[in-house]
Structures are given as structure tokens and as C-alpha cells.
Amino acid sequence: MALAADAGYHSEANLKQLAERGIAAWICDNHYRSRDPRYARQAKHKTTPDTLWDKSAKENKTRCFRPQDFQLAEDHSHCLCPAGKRLYANGSNCTIGGRHAIKFCGAERDCLPCERRSQCLRKPDTTKTRQVAFFMGKRDGTQSHTERMKARIDSDTGKRMIAARFATVEPVFGNLRHNKRLTRFTLRGRQKVDAQWKLWCMMHNIEKLAHHGYAG
């Protein structure tokens, strides 16, 4: 059994479950296109805004401070933010994606009155303090399921599998959702929804046959 899915199903928990069940899967992550040279010029194909329709002024988005903008102490007891304030460790022995991470959190007395909140927080109106994590390498030296899947997707076989999925599955979704307006199911229950989905797919296939000269 082989399985191919889009990035919405890519998580360490899902990949672990597939590996434990012995299912051969190719599930791309959100950044696989940036690693594939075939998509190096994909930006030129994106739809540009309609200048005759969109009259709003474009806001200049400020990039938030990243972990590399923070200074980690040599003893890993704290780190300093770009404003010179200290962030305190709140998870010095945690594991994120199979990697050893040290997490720090700022104090409300420093973050709330800080003049650089808009540069540090994505939502400065609702988020009180800044948190940041530093990754210190693999926890046990073994590859995570996420890393193994990345290597599988980046292989020649993985590239062929993802390209085949684009050509077989995505056109069906695009036709039924955008052309036929199937934005939600009107029935409830797995069996009823499955039957409704198969009816729509049947309509899609009949339409393809008609367009290719099989109507007669």
C-alpha cells in the first residue's frame, strides 16, 4: 500500500503512525518546493493583484525578530533580546521534532512597556511576552520521522510521486471545488459523505470522457 498526501498531513505524529503501520508514504512538507530546483522560478506564475480593483495602500510589514537576533548566554541560563532585556529559561530540557531545545520567556515587566514590541511580537496587542527557542542538536542522534520523510520526498522517486499526485488528484479537487462549487458536503455521516463524494467524482469522470470524444 502506498500513500501520497499534501503538506496538511505532514506532522511528526502522522509520519510516526504511518511508519509503525508499515505504510509506504510520500507526504511533502511546507518547504519542499524551496529544496526542489524545478520550482526555483515558480513565483513568476503567481497571480498578481489587480491594480484597478485594489486601491488600498500597501502596508510595509516589519520582520519580527528571529532567534538569531537574540544572544544566548554561554552557560545557557538566559538570553538577551535585541532591546537588551533578559529572557529566562522555561523549558531547558524539552524535545521539539526530535531535537533538543532550550526555551526562554521574557518577563512582563520588560516586554509590556517595551517600545520594540511591534518588531518582536506578531500580535503585540494580545501577546504579553516573547518566547524563543534555541535548538541544540539531535536528542539521541537518530533521525526523526520528519527528517526521513524530507529525504524521501527529495529523492528522485519522491519527486516523481509528488508530481504524479499533482497530475492525478489536484485537478479533481480544483474542478469540483472551484468550477462545480463543492465547498462543503450537505450530508452527515461517513457513509453518506462517501457516497456524495463518489457521485461528484463520477460526474467529474463523465465530464472528462465527454470532453475527450467518448460522449457518442
Side-chain angles (χ1 to χ4, degrees), residues 24-214:
W26 285 266
I27 304 180
C28 53
D29 57 280
N30 289 326
H31 305 288
Y32 83 98
R33 290 176 184 262
S34 62
R35 303 191 303 270
D36 193 333
R38 295 179 301 175
Y39 301 101
R41 302 179 63 187
Q42 66 174 348
K44 71 176 184 178
H45 300 291
K46 291 184 177 180
T47 303
T48 57
D50 187 352
T51 56
L52 299 178
W53 174 264
D54 187 4
K55 301 296 184 179
S56 61
K58 303 301 180 182
E59 296 181 358
N60 294 324
K61 294 184 178 180
T62 303
R63 179 183 64 82
C64 291
F65 293 132
R66 296 176 293 180
Q68 51 264 43
D69 297 321
F70 292 73
Q71 182 179 354
L72 179 63
E74 293 184 0
D75 59 358
H76 297 173
S77 61
H78 66 278
C79 69
L80 297 179
C81 72
K85 302 297 182 180
R86 177 175 294 197
L87 280 74
Y88 302 89
N90 65 347
S92 59
N93 190 26
C94 61
T95 302
I96 302 177
R99 294 186 292 174
H100 179 207
I102 302 177
K103 297 172 64 179
F104 298 89
C105 181
E108 291 188 13
R109 65 175 181 273
D110 296 326
C111 292
L112 289 178
C114 183
E115 297 180 354
R116 310 185 74 175
R117 286 177 58 82
S118 59
Q119 296 177 268
C120 196
L121 302 171
R122 290 190 177 90
K123 298 181 179 179
D125 296 333
T126 57
T127 305
K128 292 183 178 181
T129 61
R130 171 64 189 263
Q131 298 186 43
V132 65
F134 293 90
F135 291 96
M136 313 305 294
K138 305 297 181 188
R139 171 62 72 179
D140 55 3
T142 60
Q143 281 189 321
S144 64
H145 294 285
T146 298
E147 291 171 328
R148 283 194 287 269
M149 183 56 68
K150 286 183 179 180
R152 192 170 194 178
I153 289 295
D154 294 342
S155 66
D156 292 338
T157 302
K159 292 177 181 178
R160 288 196 299 268
M161 290 294 295
I162 296 301
R165 183 183 182 277
F166 288 157
T168 57
V169 178
E170 295 297 341
V172 181
F173 294 153
N175 181 35
L176 295 183
R177 175 163 183 166
H178 297 285
N179 297 337
K180 302 297 186 292
R181 305 299 182 185
L182 178 62
T183 57
R184 62 181 299 176
F185 292 102
T186 57
L187 302 177
R188 295 295 178 267
R190 180 177 296 179
Q191 292 182 345
K192 293 181 180 179
V193 169
D194 181 65
Q196 188 177 12
W197 171 249
K198 288 178 179 177
L199 286 174
W200 281 86
C201 290
M202 184 185 301
M203 178 181 63
H204 171 83
N205 290 331
I206 293 174
E207 185 181 50
K208 286 179 62 178
L209 292 174
H211 288 170
H212 285 80
Y214 293 95

